[in-house]
Amino acid sequence: SQQGEEDPQALSIQEGENATMNCSYKTSINNLQWYRQNSGRGLVHLILIRSNEREKHSGRLRVTLDTSKKSSSLLITASRAADTASYFCTITQGGSEKLVFGKGTKLTVNP
Amino acid sequence: DAGVTQSPTHLIKTRGQQVTLRCSPKSGHDTVSWYQQALGQGPQFIFQYYEEEERQRGNFPDRFSGHQFPNYSSELNVNALLLGDSALYLCASSFVSRQNAEAFFGQGTRLTVV
């Protein structure tokens, strides 16, 4: 499959805990992006990490990329109930700018 | 700064009918892409428009067509609707000159075909 595959499919944690979700892919990439989707509505862009980068931070979010293992992880620290959403990783490859999505990780943060 | 806006938000159509969905890109963006998201799935790429031309297309039949206007806004048309076309349709905009830059999505149009 050319798409990113998120793991786990579902994750349930308590407020204040950290949440880690992973993304694996099978081809070389230009970049990898993480998006959040609340209640089946629009996608909110979280972080873009380029193939020559290894780690990026944005607020409570930390993304790592290991191109040798063709994998990425998204860490959300000190989670909040408002972080409850589906999280998708998406990749771009070669000269294409289309985004290829997996099925996402459904995160539930319990108050 | 208005983000990506889509209209309508919800739509119910009958099998065999035709539908037009609309998208206005984020200010400064010149490229619009459309995605179909079935329930419980990730979005699937339909096509991308730049300079009023279809630049890239995903694995969707010819019943799916689009258009981009000089002001960069875009329409997605679906003919001969099938029950399986029921989905959330998402529009994303980006700036083509910034290759592989972030794409920003609208809130989507929920299409139900009955």
Side-chain angles (χ1 to χ4, degrees):
Chain A
S1 170
Q2 294 180 328
Q3 66 196 32
E5 297 286 351
E6 296 90 349
D7 174 67
Q9 291 186 357
L11 180 61
S12 182
I13 60 174
Q14 296 300 120
E15 211 165 24
E17 294 180 337
N18 295 341
T20 300
M21 51 204 87
N22 303 295
C23 172
S24 60
Y25 55 92
K26 295 185 178 181
T27 65
S28 61
I29 62 171
N30 297 331
N31 65 47
L32 184 146
Q33 302 180 62
W34 285 91
Y35 286 86
R36 184 185 75 228
Q37 186 175 41
N38 295 84
S39 303
R41 298 306 294 176
L43 293 153
V44 175
H45 186 270
L46 298 177
I47 287 185
L48 178 151
I49 186 165
R50 301 189 191 283
S51 59
N52 61 352
E53 298 175 314
R54 292 297 168 258
E55 186 171 316
K56 287 189 84 168
H57 297 255
S58 177
R60 295 184 295 111
L61 307 180
R62 172 178 168 252
V63 168
T64 62
L65 178 65
D66 187 335
T67 53
S68 66
K69 294 182 179 178
K70 292 185 168 59
S71 66
S72 173
S73 68
L74 169 66
L75 168 67
I76 305 173
T77 59
S79 62
R80 306 166 182 168
D83 295 327
T84 295
S86 290
Y87 291 81
F88 293 91
C89 73
T90 179
I91 59 174
T92 59
Q93 309 163 283
S96 171
E97 291 194 17
K98 75 175 185 181
L99 302 178
V100 182
F101 288 86
K103 293 183 179 181
T105 291
K106 188 170 183 179
L107 173 66
T108 302
V109 181
N110 302 299
Chain B
D1 174 29
V4 180
T5 58
Q6 292 186 243
S7 63
T9 55
H10 294 84
L11 202 52
I12 300 175
K13 288 286 189 178
T14 304
R15 273 180 301 175
Q17 284 188 316
Q18 179 263 345
V19 68
T20 298
L21 310 181
R22 295 177 176 81
C23 172
S24 292
K26 181 177 169 64
S27 178
H29 284 184
D30 56 10
T31 301
V32 173
S33 302
W34 287 92
Y35 293 79
Q36 179 195 67
Q37 185 178 22
L39 203 60
Q41 302 294 316
Q44 298 295 309
F45 176 78
I46 302 175
F47 42 53
Q48 183 183 78
Y49 277 84
Y50 170 66
E51 290 189 335
E52 303 179 47
E53 291 191 357
E54 185 180 289
R55 192 166 178 235
Q56 193 172 3
R57 189 179 182 92
N59 189 25
F60 278 81
D62 292 344
R63 297 186 298 110
F64 289 78
S65 63
H67 189 77
Q68 186 179 34
F69 299 94
N71 66 354
Y72 307 120
S73 66
S74 176
E75 289 182 349
L76 164 65
N77 300 293
V78 186
N79 294 322
L81 284 166
L82 304 174
L83 295 179
D85 295 332
S86 294
L88 180 68
Y89 288 85
L90 294 161
C91 168
S93 73
S94 57
F95 188 47
V96 72
S97 295
R98 290 182 57 201
Q99 192 176 21
N100 296 317
E102 299 90 336
F104 292 88
F105 283 80
Q107 288 298 300
T109 294
R110 174 74 62 188
L111 172 65
T112 303
V113 182
V114 297

